[in-house]
Amino acid sequence: MTSLCVPLTADHCPQMAEQIAQATRLGADMVELRLDHLRDPDLDAIHALMSRAGQFAVGVIITCRLAEEGGNFTGSEEQRVKLFEVAALVGGDYMDIELAAWRRSALLRERIDALRQARDPSRPLKLILSRHDFEKTPADLSNILKDIAREPCDVVKLATKAESIVDSLRVLDALRESAAKRPTIALAMGEAGLLSRVLAGRFGALLTFASLETGQESAPGQVTIADMLGLYRYNSIGPATAVYGVIGCPVGHSMSPAIFNAAFGEIGHDAVYLPLRIEPPYEAFAAFVDNCLSRPWLNMSGCSVTIPHKENLLRYVAERGGEVEPLARRIGAANTLHVQTGELSLAACNTDYRGAMNALCAGIGCTREELGRFSVAVLGAGGVSRAIVAGLRDCGCRVTIYNRTFDRAKTLAAEFGAEARPLEQAADHGADVIINCTSIGMWPNVDDTPLPADALIGKPVVFDTIYNPIETRLLREARLRGCRTVDGVSMFVGQAAAQFERWIGRPAPLDIMRGILRRRLGR
Ligand code: NAP
């Protein structure tokens, strides 16, 4: 069982003792006492801290890092060793020492050896030897772990800065190999390292770290223990857990991990869903998916795909001989990757179309056939607009596309048999339905609107695809003028539910997904 370890970084012993209680309450199995964060560490106070730590049912790691090791300690080596001695004489299960310091300092080696030998064998003090690289993930991770294991330690630890998620996958390669032979901690730091932290338990790590709260991380990329247990359902992740995620750039703001993980939990499906930030070029997208698929043990089963990778997904699946849904090909963008492991097969499809059409019909209270009676003004000519214009034209609607970049509107209109106009003419639309597919009015620019309120005269139906905020200025002004309004939440949940059903083959728990989204968006 891979422990969930919370590093504690208070700057005084009494506060650190409080943090032990807090971490235990939040579900930590272990705490790491970062003695290097204590200002003027007083030996009596450390004695009291260690005694207090012994009263909780958590494992304790004692750590005191120098600046070059990613820590704050500025005293002499003798002072550092003294801190270790005072702490370890009272308690602690592990002591974490940087490999370079261990090799460099005979003082450190001799005194820590003596401490370990003085321990009652029923309560051993285990030695973690660690190697950190805060700049990059070096080439040969496996050899680095083997090199650490040459020293007389109980646990080998490697923490490197991930420059891309592929680095996280390489760290997991090294973890799998090393953990089969000896207790190992291996993780990637930074935003791109998340996958290695959340999945560490699947590959036999001794522990993975999670911060006590936002702002109390001891290394870049740690998620909070609340998110680890609540959002990512860490305790449900096992050897067979399927991996899903949202590929985009950026993805930090995405609501998809929250709604999918909650949905998996609701139906008891053994899966986890992660944010996967991949830089824009096609090559980065292809390298990431190739790297996932070449590691069948990862069990990567599907991805939601968002800006700027929707076209990349179509190209990738076509180039790898997978199945591209005709609708997605016609729209020119896909938002769903489905991977069937076993006999590996790939498929790309577009669920924005279904999500948007269902939301619109439900909002108006009509069937898709009945929708064909309406004339529609579509604002925007980007990815979402393409899916919606295709859907509207399939229903037989008369569609006019208004866009800031007029050429884009003309190209899209020509493809789907619609009309094109510059965005400045949108106020004179004369349509029954207005659909905003631009990002005007999206958080944080919540005071912006793509249309003056006067353009809502005649009470058209107004659908805003933006879901953050749920009620945009456009929707608020439309509601106040008596228009029927449709918000972006219904479309977002609809397209996510269609992905869920495609991947899992079971109906999505819509109420749970909707509830999570509304709660996260503060409504
Ligand atoms: P996209 O491909 O980048 O297209 C953005 C569109 O917005 C383009 O037409 C662009 O015009 C226009 N635009 C952006 N900023 C503008 C500005 N300041 N003034 C005038 N026009 C502007 O993005 P997308 O994927 O289609 O997403 C568009 C919207 O859909 C976003 O607001 C997003 O919130 C929403 N969305 C909703 C869902 C859902 O499920 N509810 C899912 C995805 C996206 P130009 O062509 O001139 O650049």
Side-chain angles (χ1 to χ4, degrees):
M1 175 64 188
T2 298
S3 298
L4 199 48
C5 180
V6 174
L8 304 180
T9 57
D11 49 18
H12 290 94
C13 287
Q15 284 87 336
M16 200 175 275
E18 273 306 304
Q19 289 185 331
I20 301 172
Q22 190 185 348
T24 310
R25 270 197 311 276
L26 290 172
D29 308 302
M30 274 199 194
V31 290
E32 180 188 34
L33 306 183
R34 288 292 301 263
L35 303 186
D36 52 298
H37 281 251
L38 297 171
R39 286 193 211 146
D40 298 331
D42 169 83
L43 298 185
D44 288 339
I46 287 185
H47 192 286
L49 170 68
M50 295 305 296
S51 303
R52 183 85 179 109
Q55 294 167 4
F56 292 92
V58 285
V60 174
I61 303 175
I62 303 164
T63 305
C64 186
R65 300 193 159 278
L66 306 176
E68 73 231 41
E69 302 167 352
N72 290 349
F73 192 74
T74 52
S76 68
E77 193 71 324
E78 174 62 35
Q79 286 167 322
R80 180 154 83 136
V81 170
K82 193 73 202 153
L83 281 185
F84 281 135
E85 285 176 342
V86 172
L89 278 173
V90 185
D93 303 287
Y94 294 90
M95 186 167 281
D96 185 342
I97 306 285
E98 189 73 13
L99 178 70
W102 177 261
R103 288 192 169 152
R104 183 184 62 230
S105 170
L107 177 78
L108 200 61
R109 287 196 303 275
E110 281 160 20
R111 305 263 287 270
I112 286 174
D113 278 345
L115 267 177
R116 298 176 71 205
Q117 278 161 25
R119 267 292 176 92
D120 178 339
S122 66
R123 271 189 63 235
L125 177 65
K126 296 185 179 168
L127 178 63
I128 302 171
L129 282 184
S130 56
R131 166 95 187 260
H132 289 72
D133 190 323
F134 294 95
E135 303 291 320
K136 63 185 182 309
T137 297
D140 200 348
L141 302 177
S142 167
N143 278 347
I144 292 173
L145 285 168
K146 283 182 194 150
D147 180 42
I148 303 173
R150 284 195 197 101
E151 302 293 336
C153 61
D154 301 287
V155 182
V156 295
K157 175 180 166 190
L158 177 66
T160 64
K161 164 81 190 301
E163 286 163 287
S164 74
I165 303 181
V166 174
D167 285 341
S168 280
L169 295 174
R170 292 175 44 232
V171 166
L172 289 182
D173 291 337
L175 170 64
R176 290 177 75 232
E177 183 191 323
S178 178
K181 300 186 188 112
R182 61 189 77 84
T184 302
I185 303 165
L187 55 93
M189 297 182 280
E191 183 184 352
L194 177 81
L195 178 134
S196 73
R197 293 180 183 277
V198 176
L199 298 183
R202 262 192 55 193
F203 305 111
L206 176 75
L207 60 84
T208 188
F209 292 98
S211 70
L212 193 60
E213 288 172 1
T214 303
Q216 300 206 16
E217 302 80 12
S218 66
Q222 276 169 8
V223 290
T224 62
I225 183 168
D227 276 353
M228 199 68 127
L229 291 171
L231 175 59
Y232 298 117
R233 301 166 53 248
Y234 177 77
N235 287 337
S236 311
I237 298 175
T241 300
V243 177
Y244 295 87
V246 52
I247 300 179
C249 187
V251 282
H253 65 289
S254 173
M255 298 286 158
S256 296
I259 65 171
F260 277 101
N261 284 315
F264 292 149
E266 175 67 15
I267 67 156
H269 186 67
D270 187 8
V272 63
Y273 186 104
L274 303 168
L276 303 166
R277 180 193 163 106
I278 304 294
E279 295 303 313
Y282 174 73
E283 291 67 30
F285 178 88
F288 169 69
V289 184
D290 282 344
N291 269 280
C292 289
L293 300 182
S294 67
R295 292 169 169 85
W297 44 262
L298 185 65
N299 201 6
M300 172 60 80
S301 303
C303 288
S304 312
V305 176
T306 185
I307 292 175
H309 291 299
K310 289 184 177 186
E311 288 84 9
N312 289 342
L313 172 59
L314 273 191
R315 177 177 161 191
Y316 179 83
V317 171
E319 284 183 4
R320 298 295 183 276
E323 173 207 335
V324 176
E325 175 201 47
L327 174 67
R329 195 178 297 122
R330 187 155 61 86
I331 294 170
N335 71 338
T336 311
L337 170 66
H338 187 194
V339 181
Q340 275 170 315
T341 41
E343 209 168 292
L344 181 69
S345 76
L346 299 178
C349 63
N350 188 307
T351 67
D352 282 336
Y353 177 110
R354 179 172 144 190
M357 289 302 108
N358 287 354
L360 187 57
C361 289
I364 296 177
C366 70
T367 63
R368 288 202 192 173
E369 289 72 37
E370 288 163 349
L371 189 64
R373 291 200 312 263
F374 295 110
S375 66
V376 185
V378 174
L379 315 182
V384 165
S385 179
R386 292 188 75 79
I388 290 183
V389 169
L392 294 169
R393 292 294 298 135
D394 285 352
C395 295
C397 299
R398 276 165 293 124
V399 177
T400 307
I401 302 164
Y402 297 87
N403 197 47
R404 176 179 63 181
T405 310
F406 184 48
D407 280 350
R408 257 183 123 185
K410 281 200 288 196
T411 307
L412 183 57
E415 259 178 77
F416 291 98
E419 256 188 74
R421 300 257 169 85
L423 187 60
E424 308 83 69
Q425 293 180 14
D428 305 321
H429 60 85
D432 309 309
V433 178
I434 297 166
I435 306 181
N436 178 33
C437 301
T438 74
S439 39
I440 304 172
M442 188 164 78
W443 190 89
N445 303 314
V446 295
D447 292 328
D448 294 350
T449 182
L451 273 187
D454 289 352
L456 302 169
I457 287 163
K459 300 201 177 95
V461 175
V462 180
F463 172 19
D464 200 332
T465 62
I466 291 173
Y467 59 86
N468 188 11
I470 298 175
E471 189 176 69
T472 57
R473 178 174 163 195
L474 174 68
L475 287 188
R476 189 171 63 249
E477 290 179 345
R479 177 174 55 79
L480 292 174
R481 277 158 187 77
C483 306
R484 192 184 284 235
T485 60
V486 182
D487 64 41
V489 165
S490 10
M491 173 181 163
F492 186 73
V493 170
Q495 59 81 30
Q499 294 180 326
F500 187 97
E501 285 159 22
R502 165 102 203 194
W503 293 331
I504 316 298
R506 292 174 58 180
L510 281 170
D511 288 346
I512 294 289
M513 294 167 102
R514 215 177 275 124
I516 292 279
L517 189 58
R518 288 192 181 274
R519 207 160 51 245
R520 290 234 160 199
L521 292 170
R523 274 271 299 271

